[in-house]
Amino acid sequence: MRPELLSVRAVNQYRRRDMLAYLGLRYYLENNAAKRDVWAENVSTYLVDTRSTPIYFNSYHFKEISEQGAVIHRDIYIPGPNEILAEAYLLNECSLHKSFRSLSCVYSYHFSDAKSKDGVFSSYFPKYISRHQSIADVCKNMEEGIVRYTDIRKYYPSISKEAAQTAWRRACDSSEISTKARELGERLLEDYTSVSELHGKSLSVLTGPMFSHLIANLVLFEVDKLMQEKTQGRYWRYVDDIVLVGNQSQVIENHSLLKLILGDAGLSLHEEGKDFVVDSKSWLDGINDFNDSEGGLWMNLISNIKRFLLLNPEM
């Protein structure tokens, strides 16, 4: 039996992210019945709603090396196949309603087109390139403009349970999403908190599940809306990376506003390292960074290194 839309999307989404989730899902889908959309919509959602204990695999992804030489990892929580399929159903339902979609100034985690099988979310790189081009288009028309690149500190771990629930419920209230989908979202948020507490963390949004990315975008919806209006379209966000463009006084004023409204949401910006300023002419020096062959060669190199390390972990 040929797999249907939701199972193919789930497989294609997670194979780009985590090998273990991908392999677990492929094994699960050896059951032909699980390949049908009705399984994801009814069986998987029921099994998630009625489970007594949520289970996630806590894996560690390399983040950086500290100044002292210690290797720092990011905790990634991988859901099991049942939840991955239920999540695919839930996100597909959300994609049908405007209140769950991000504004044009946001370039990360946009829903796939209705019939696309590439994944739950559209591929990240075309959006990343279009953000780069959009910033460049504004810089071209500025004589003495500056570009400020900043970053939200520990974004997902800093989202409170209340902020996540409020954002989810606000989007649900503004749509006609089904009660079933709404309650599934509530259940996932509760499970995220339970798993976080079990691991001695203070997270409300786990890094790993695809539903977390939607919640993170919903939490910042009002921030994005206000900043887009205030900057007259000179605000760009990609997950937790934010770019502001304008003359020096405009950027200083808009950066202060951003800090203020993020602070009201319990979030903060990095003050150094990931926060820097360049003039618009310097930004334009890299306008063609994604138009040469080196980008493809770089991605192939990284992919091959990952494959090598899977086969040779001692290296």
Side-chain angles (χ1 to χ4, degrees):
M1 173 185 172
R2 292 181 63 84
E4 294 184 352
L5 178 66
L6 297 180
S7 61
V8 175
R9 278 186 172 179
V11 166
N12 285 337
Q13 185 69 51
Y14 274 91
R15 74 174 178 178
R16 298 200 297 253
R17 179 68 187 184
D18 191 277
M19 182 63 70
L20 290 176
Y22 169 69
L23 292 175
L25 190 56
R26 287 297 300 266
Y27 180 80
Y28 184 89
L29 291 172
E30 285 298 305
N31 170 12
N32 279 331
K35 297 175 183 177
R36 300 179 61 200
D37 287 351
V38 69
W39 182 283
E41 180 177 349
N42 295 322
V43 179
S44 292
T45 55
Y46 173 79
L47 292 172
V48 170
D49 277 333
T50 59
R51 65 189 178 187
S52 58
T53 304
I55 298 175
Y56 296 81
F57 177 71
N58 184 194
S59 63
Y60 304 98
H61 287 210
F62 171 78
K63 183 179 180 182
E64 59 187 341
I65 297 177
S66 71
E67 293 180 359
Q68 291 74 34
V71 176
I72 300 173
H73 292 91
R74 178 181 285 110
D75 286 315
I76 303 292
Y77 295 86
I78 305 301
N82 268 322
E83 181 173 328
I84 290 174
L85 290 175
E87 183 185 62
Y89 153 74
L90 176 57
L91 291 172
N92 185 63
E93 289 295 301
C94 292
S95 72
L96 304 176
H97 303 276
K98 184 178 179 181
S99 61
F100 296 96
R101 299 175 200 154
S102 297
L103 298 172
S104 60
C105 58
V106 179
Y107 289 79
S108 52
Y109 296 109
H110 284 246
F111 295 118
S112 293
D113 294 335
K115 295 182 180 180
S116 171
K117 294 184 177 180
D118 286 343
V120 174
F121 296 111
S122 59
S123 179
Y124 82 96
F125 206 54
K127 282 290 183 184
Y128 193 86
I129 293 173
S130 62
R131 182 191 71 155
H132 183 77
Q133 185 61 55
S134 177
I135 296 169
D137 289 342
V138 172
C139 288
K140 288 176 186 176
N141 298 314
M142 299 199 70
E143 288 290 331
E144 297 182 356
I146 63 171
V147 179
R148 182 156 191 173
Y149 192 103
T150 190
D151 173 88
I152 301 175
R153 185 192 300 271
K154 297 181 179 179
Y155 178 35
Y156 283 28
S158 297
I159 299 174
S160 69
K161 176 181 178 180
E162 293 73 20
Q165 289 177 331
T166 298
W168 172 247
R169 292 167 184 172
R170 181 176 59 229
C172 289
D173 291 343
S174 300
S175 71
E176 295 180 354
I177 198 167
S178 68
T179 300
K180 177 180 181 178
R182 180 177 184 138
E183 291 178 350
L184 177 59
E186 294 274 358
R187 175 59 193 260
L188 290 177
L189 290 177
E190 289 290 341
D191 286 351
Y192 293 171
T193 302
S194 298
V195 170
S196 171
E197 292 173 350
L198 185 66
H199 286 82
K201 308 288 185 179
S202 59
L203 313 176
S204 66
V205 176
L206 300 180
T207 303
M210 292 301 115
F211 183 60
S212 291
H213 301 309
L214 173 61
I215 293 298
N217 272 348
L218 293 177
V219 166
L220 284 184
F221 181 85
E222 293 299 327
V223 174
D224 295 330
K225 183 179 179 182
L226 178 59
M227 291 304 300
Q228 186 180 40
E229 292 172 353
K230 177 66 174 63
T231 63
Q232 297 181 328
R234 294 177 178 180
Y235 164 90
W236 297 260
R237 181 171 68 81
Y238 188 91
V239 192
D240 54 359
D241 294 339
I242 294 172
V243 176
L244 300 168
V245 175
N247 61 41
Q248 187 170 17
S249 62
Q250 289 171 334
V251 170
I252 290 174
E253 180 182 352
N254 291 331
H255 185 264
S256 297
L257 174 62
L258 179 61
K259 285 180 64 176
L260 180 64
I261 58 179
L262 285 175
D264 291 341
L267 304 170
S268 61
L269 294 172
H270 277 102
E271 297 296 336
E272 53 187 31
K274 294 183 178 181
D275 186 293
F276 61 88
V277 176
V278 298
D279 61 77
S280 56
K281 291 181 180 178
S282 297
W283 183 273
L284 290 173
D285 288 340
I287 192 171
N288 295 315
D289 280 355
F290 301 110
N291 297 333
D292 56 32
S293 61
E294 291 183 2
L297 292 173
W298 174 254
M299 287 191 289
N300 286 334
L301 172 63
I302 296 301
S303 296
N304 286 331
I305 289 174
K306 288 182 177 180
R307 295 185 184 102
F308 174 80
L309 292 176
L310 280 172
L311 295 173
N312 304 279
E314 73 282 358
M315 299 297 291

